[in-house]
Amino acid sequence: MAKYINPYTDFGFKKLFGEEANKDLLIDFLNQLLPSHHQIADLNFRNSESLSESSEERKAIFDIHCRSSSGERFIVEMQKAKIKYFKDRSLFYITFPIRDQAQKGEWDFKLEPIYFVAILDFEYDEAEERRKFRRDVALKDQDGDLFFDRLHFKFLQMPLFNKKANELVSKFDKWCYFLKNLESFDKIPAILNEPIFQKAFDTAALASLSAEQRDMYEQSLIHYRDLKNVIDTAVEEAVEGNKAEIAKTMLREDEPLEKVVKYTGLSLNQVQQLRRELDKSG
């Protein structure tokens, strides 16, 4: 039985990073991603639901929306499943803290820095991005020089983080290791035995939840697992469908059954069934 919450659930993520009592956890995590000139000393949570200015426009609901004491604005998203147009959605989201800075009357259009941080429990489709656990994106010109220093995107593809405890080098590594493996820990690993992570583990302990919180977490966990099962099933069916199409092509070319089995990974019975289906269809 798990001892700690799953941080990829809505409840788990907001319990760790979205509560006033635990904002030091969020500050510490974000500071590992930020340059020295944008380090956070303190922050305030803002309404996570941003309404558009007109009824025709869509509203955005963020996991966490906050502002540092020095003015930087942050949207932090835990994305559990692959969705279409995620980059487009990310761009859409940052338009809200941009417009939120608009001032009535005389205004010189100066903007405070905005960061969009996405922790992804999936990999992108693009082959280039599949090789990158972390992507730091900013506006640059044709020579790769930074054009605008106040708009940044941070994407973390958590499935690509595979470091073991003895391979952790930085505080950032430790946070990623914590998030990736939290639900499987039965105690605090020695590498994470320091005050900020001790608090994170205490916050994530299932035993510390009230009966009402435990029920909310269980519902959130069920939703997370159901979503993952649907996605995994769809991927598996898609893979099997591709294998079947490859096998049919090979069978039409009169390749030996043993070769079809070897190159598709299908069982001999599956290949024989496909052979019969092709024979019936002529």
Side-chain angles (χ1 to χ4, degrees), residues 230-244:
V230 168
I231 293 170
D232 291 344
T233 299
V235 171
E236 183 177 334
E237 289 178 351
V239 170
E240 289 300 315
N242 288 337
K243 289 181 179 180

Side-chain angles (χ1 to χ4, degrees), residues 5 8 11 19 22 25 38 44 48 90-91 102 117-118 129 131 147 150 158 166 170 192 204 224 228 235 247 257 265:
I5 58 177
Y8 294 110
F11 178 92
E19 295 184 349
N22 300 323
L25 301 180
H38 284 165
N44 295 306
S48 62
S90 301
L91 287 168
V117 179
E129 292 178 342
R131 298 190 297 270
F147 173 73
R150 293 193 291 277
M158 295 304 292
N166 63 344
S170 64
L192 299 181
Y224 170 79
K228 296 293 285 185
V235 171
L257 296 185

Side-chain angles (χ1 to χ4, degrees), residues 64-277:
I64 295 173
H65 184 197
C66 54
R67 183 183 182 186
S68 72
S69 57
S70 53
E72 294 89 352
R73 295 155 191 262
F74 302 89
I75 294 173
V76 187
E77 281 279 295
M78 171 65 81
Q79 189 63 42
K80 298 181 289 296
K82 187 181 300 183
I83 57 175
K84 292 181 66 176
Y85 309 121
F86 181 71
K87 292 179 184 177
D88 305 65
R89 174 176 166 173
S90 301
L91 287 168
F92 175 69
Y93 272 13
I94 58 93
T95 64
F96 289 93
I98 289 176
R99 288 190 291 176
D100 187 49
Q101 298 184 54
Q103 300 174 17
K104 294 182 179 180
E106 293 291 330
W107 179 45
D108 61 6
F109 290 92
K110 181 181 179 181
L111 296 173
E112 299 292 346
I114 298 171
Y115 284 87
F116 181 88
V117 179
I119 305 169
L120 310 177
D121 191 21
F122 61 89
E123 298 177 33
Y124 285 156
D125 285 331
E126 291 89 343
E128 178 188 358
E129 292 178 342
R130 192 178 297 275
R131 298 190 297 270
K132 298 179 182 179
F133 156 61
R134 172 176 173 173
R135 296 202 85 192
D136 293 344
V137 182
L139 292 178
K140 297 184 179 182
D141 65 16
Q142 71 276 10
D143 298 318
D145 295 326
L146 189 63
F147 173 73
F148 187 68
D149 189 35
R150 293 193 291 277
L151 182 59
H152 298 270
F153 296 85
K154 310 281 186 179
F155 298 100
L156 306 178
Q157 296 184 83
M158 295 304 292
L160 296 179
F161 182 83
N162 297 310
K163 287 188 177 182
K164 307 300 182 184
N166 63 344
E167 298 173 318
L168 306 182
V169 177
S170 64
K171 188 75 166 292
F172 173 69
D173 284 349
K174 292 180 180 181
W175 268 115
C176 294
Y177 182 70
F178 169 84
L179 291 172
K180 180 75 177 284
N181 300 289
L182 177 58
E183 191 181 22
S184 65
F185 289 134
D186 57 10
K187 61 181 180 180
I188 302 177
I191 192 69
L192 299 181
N193 193 15
E194 53 187 273
I196 193 68
F197 291 111
Q198 289 170 355
K199 179 174 181 177
F201 275 103
D202 288 343
T203 301
L206 290 173
S208 68
L209 301 181
S210 66
E212 181 181 6
Q213 289 176 322
R214 185 62 180 261
D215 183 62
M216 292 171 60
Y217 171 64
E218 292 296 338
Q219 292 301 315
S220 186
L221 186 61
I222 289 172
H223 175 73
Y224 170 79
R225 288 174 174 169
D226 285 348
L227 182 62
K228 296 293 285 185
N229 285 337
V230 168
I231 293 170
D232 291 344
T233 299
V235 171
E236 183 177 334
E237 289 178 351
V239 170
E240 289 300 315
N242 288 337
K243 289 181 179 180
E245 289 304 313
I246 293 172
K248 288 178 181 179
T249 299
M250 295 180 72
L251 290 170
R252 291 189 185 101
E253 298 294 327
D254 293 324
E255 297 286 358
L257 296 185
E258 293 78 10
K259 186 175 181 179
V260 178
V261 169
K262 177 181 178 181
Y263 283 95
T264 64
L266 296 175
S267 69
L268 179 59
N269 287 338
Q270 289 174 310
V271 174
Q272 289 173 331
Q273 177 61 34
L274 290 173
R275 173 79 275 173
R276 288 192 288 271
E277 292 175 3

Side-chain angles (χ1 to χ4, degrees), residues 13-28:
F13 185 66
K14 291 178 181 177
K15 179 67 177 173
L16 278 170
F17 291 137
E19 295 184 349
E20 185 69 23
N22 300 323
K23 68 180 183 181
D24 55 330
L25 301 180
L26 179 61
I27 290 172
D28 194 88

